[in-house]
């Protein structure tokens, strides 16, 4: 097989599988790891793949481009609705405490909380706070910070410093990407810092993510998969293998 043919075949594998390791490609084409790395370098220069630690992903899956909240809200809306409904079971008992991340799926989650639910809630997201403010039994705390227009959420040192002083029962977290190697990730460094603080603030971390987020890496990692307790998604067979999640003690809930 000529190098060009091998590279084209490798690109097709990456696009088909979503993520392929150097070792897998070396076995597939019976070449050395160094040859695979050269091939991936050539494919990356052609913008067909993006190299990540230990392998490659499709070029479109590793993105520094962040969609606005309105755009994300209409994407995979049925799946997000099911995920939001399934995540309701993780609300703490009356009087418990939660912190809720910004995002379109967490926004749906808040809209489904039953009237009469009683808990203490912290959030840095303006739309989330607006939804919680309609629930008379919820003790709402809006975290400080500069509000980003893209996500309508507060970021910056005031936000992260406030979260460092908080300890809650459950964090409901959104993400732009989930992978075994890069963990949970998002395009913006300030958003990533806040999400990391949300994760640290909670005894139990529940991630709400539709299956399109799996095997995708955004620019900045904010948590390892081992930091997560539950992932609520819409697919029983996500691209990150269930065995990997089981080994890390992560419960997979399929909506």
């Amino acid at each position: 097989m000529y190098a060009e043919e091998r590279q084209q075949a490798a690109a097709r594998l990456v696009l088909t599988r979503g993520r392929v390791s150097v070792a897998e490609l070396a076995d597939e084409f019976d070449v050395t790891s160094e040859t695979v790395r050269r091939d991936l370098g050539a494919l990356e220069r052609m913008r067909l793949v993006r190299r990540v630690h230990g392998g490659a992903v499709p070029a479109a899956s590793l993105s520094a481009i962040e969609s606005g909240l309105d755009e994300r809200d209409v994407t995979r809306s049925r799946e997000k609705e099911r995920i939001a409904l399934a995540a309701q079971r993780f609300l703490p008992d009356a009087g418990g405490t939660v912190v809720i991340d910004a995002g379109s799926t967490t926004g749906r989650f808040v809209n489904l909380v039953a009237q009469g639910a009683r808990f203490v809630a912290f959030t840095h997201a303006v739309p989330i706070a607006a939804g919680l403010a309609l629930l008379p039994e919820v003790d709402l705390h809006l975290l400080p910070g500069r509000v980003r227009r893209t996500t309508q959420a507060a970021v910056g040192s005031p936000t992260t410093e406030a979260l460092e002083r908080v300890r809650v029962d459950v964090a409901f977290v959104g993400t732009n990407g989930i992978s075994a190697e890069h963990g949970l990730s998002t395009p913006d460094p300030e958003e990533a810092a806040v999400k990391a603080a949300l994760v640290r603030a909670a005894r139990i971390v529940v991630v709400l993510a539709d299956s399109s987020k799996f095997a995708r890496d955004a620019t900045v990692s904010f948590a390892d998969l081992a930091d997560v307790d539950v992932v609520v998604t819409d697919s029983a067979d996500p691209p990150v293998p269930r065995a990997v999640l089981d080994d890390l003690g992560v419960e997979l809930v399929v909506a």
Side-chain angles (χ1 to χ4, degrees):
M1 182 180 288
Y2 293 110
E4 292 81 1
E5 293 174 320
R6 187 179 61 247
Q7 290 166 9
Q8 290 173 7
R12 283 194 296 270
L13 279 176
V14 173
L15 290 170
T16 300
R17 298 181 186 176
R19 173 182 292 272
V20 182
S21 71
V22 169
E24 287 172 328
L25 291 171
D27 287 343
E28 181 78 24
F29 301 111
D30 194 23
V31 295
T32 66
S33 297
E34 186 57 38
T35 297
V36 171
R37 292 189 182 95
R38 285 198 297 269
D39 286 347
L40 294 180
L43 291 171
E44 187 171 46
R45 288 191 293 275
M46 290 184 278
R47 299 184 180 180
L48 295 175
V49 306
R50 287 292 298 270
R51 297 176 68 180
V52 295
H53 180 69
V57 297
S61 69
L62 187 63
S63 177
I65 300 172
E66 192 173 11
S67 301
L69 186 59
D70 290 343
E71 180 182 343
R72 283 183 284 141
D73 196 46
V74 298
T75 303
R76 298 179 64 85
S77 57
R78 290 183 180 178
E79 290 86 349
K80 291 176 180 179
E81 199 78 16
R82 298 203 312 269
I83 291 165
L85 184 60
Q88 298 294 312
R89 63 184 264 201
F90 295 102
L91 279 168
D93 294 335
T97 54
V98 303
V99 61
I100 304 178
D101 193 10
S104 56
T105 310
T106 50
R108 281 179 164 77
F109 170 79
V110 166
N111 291 338
L112 290 170
V113 174
Q115 289 286 330
R118 184 164 61 86
F119 54 86
V120 178
F122 296 83
T123 187
H124 65 303
V126 175
I128 301 294
L132 292 170
L134 300 175
L135 301 171
E137 300 299 320
V138 171
D139 183 3
L140 173 62
H141 298 258
L142 181 59
L143 298 166
R146 176 182 64 83
V147 175
R148 295 183 69 229
R149 286 189 176 88
T150 305
T151 57
Q152 300 175 34
V155 296
S157 56
T159 316
T160 54
E161 288 170 6
L163 281 166
E164 295 296 344
R165 296 190 293 271
V166 170
R167 184 69 171 166
V168 299
D169 295 312
V170 188
F172 295 95
V173 180
T175 186
N176 296 78
I178 303 177
S179 72
E181 295 84 358
H182 201 48
L184 309 182
S185 56
T186 195
D188 183 77
E190 286 190 304
E191 290 277 357
V194 173
K195 288 176 179 289
L198 288 170
V199 170
R200 290 193 298 270
R203 286 193 309 106
I204 298 172
V205 178
V206 179
V207 177
L208 284 63
D210 68 78
S211 53
S212 71
K213 307 294 177 62
F214 283 80
R216 293 180 60 184
D217 291 335
T219 311
V220 187
S221 175
F222 63 87
D224 295 330
L225 276 177
D227 298 323
V228 173
D229 298 287
V230 181
V231 174
V232 187
T233 188
D234 59 287
S235 172
D237 188 27
V240 175
R242 185 186 285 265
V244 172
L245 300 175
D246 288 345
D247 288 345
L248 294 171
V250 180
E251 179 183 357
L252 183 70
V253 175
V254 180

